[in-house]
């Protein structure tokens, strides 16, 4: 029996309560925004952007297959604003993990 997960969000939180990642499931994969990738890897937006750019430049992954816009709603001041935000699928997440130095990889797993 094949189970399809659609439009669900699961929130993961570390034992210390500090780290929290909301994971979006859609089309049999997970999707994370760039800001979620920054949090997951404990990195900077510039660093994640550079790695993503290199992955596409080196044709390790195809942009069309790994990025998708999801409409998100954020509160800005007293109003709610909706925007399309790029999200990256599991293939990109795995590629970013593989591009991490080994010691950083083990530190992320230990968090």
């Amino acid at each position: 029996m094949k189970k399809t997960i659609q439009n669900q969000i699961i929130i993961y939180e570390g034992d210390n309560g500090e780290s929290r990642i909301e994971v979006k499931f859609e089309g049999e994969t997970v999707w994370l925004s760039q800001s979620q990738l920054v949090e997951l890897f404990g990195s900077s937006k510039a660093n994640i952007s550079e790695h993503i750019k290199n992955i596409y430049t080196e044709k390790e992954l195809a942009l069309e297959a790994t990025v998708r816009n999801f409409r998100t709603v954020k509160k800005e001041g007293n109003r709610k604003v909706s925007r399309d935000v790029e999200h990256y699928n599991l293939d990109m997440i795995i590629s970013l993990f593989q591009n991490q130095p080994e010691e950083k990889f083990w530190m992320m797993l230990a968090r």
Side-chain angles (χ1 to χ4, degrees), residues 49-63 92 95-96 98-99:
S49 293
E50 182 180 341
H51 282 294
I52 289 172
K53 179 182 172 189
N54 289 338
I55 288 167
Y56 291 138
T57 300
E58 295 170 9
K59 297 186 181 352
E60 184 179 333
L61 296 173
L63 182 125
M92 178 60 75
S95 289
L96 289 169
Q98 291 172 340
N99 287 310

Side-chain angles (χ1 to χ4, degrees), residues 22-81:
E22 296 180 16
V23 179
K24 182 176 212 41
F25 288 94
E26 175 89 23
E28 298 186 22
T29 191
V30 297
W31 297 90
L32 294 178
S33 68
Q34 188 176 42
S35 62
Q36 290 171 310
L37 292 170
V38 167
E39 184 177 345
L40 175 66
F41 290 104
S43 189
S44 68
K45 184 176 179 183
N47 191 31
I48 294 295
S49 293
E50 182 180 341
H51 282 294
I52 289 172
K53 179 182 172 189
N54 289 338
I55 288 167
Y56 291 138
T57 300
E58 295 170 9
K59 297 186 181 352
E60 184 179 333
L61 296 173
L63 182 125
E64 306 80 28
T66 56
V67 67
R68 178 170 172 202
N69 283 330
F70 287 98
R71 182 156 307 270
T72 61
V73 178
K74 287 180 98 176
K75 190 170 184 175
E76 293 181 3
N78 293 330
R79 62 190 183 118
K80 291 183 180 180
V81 178

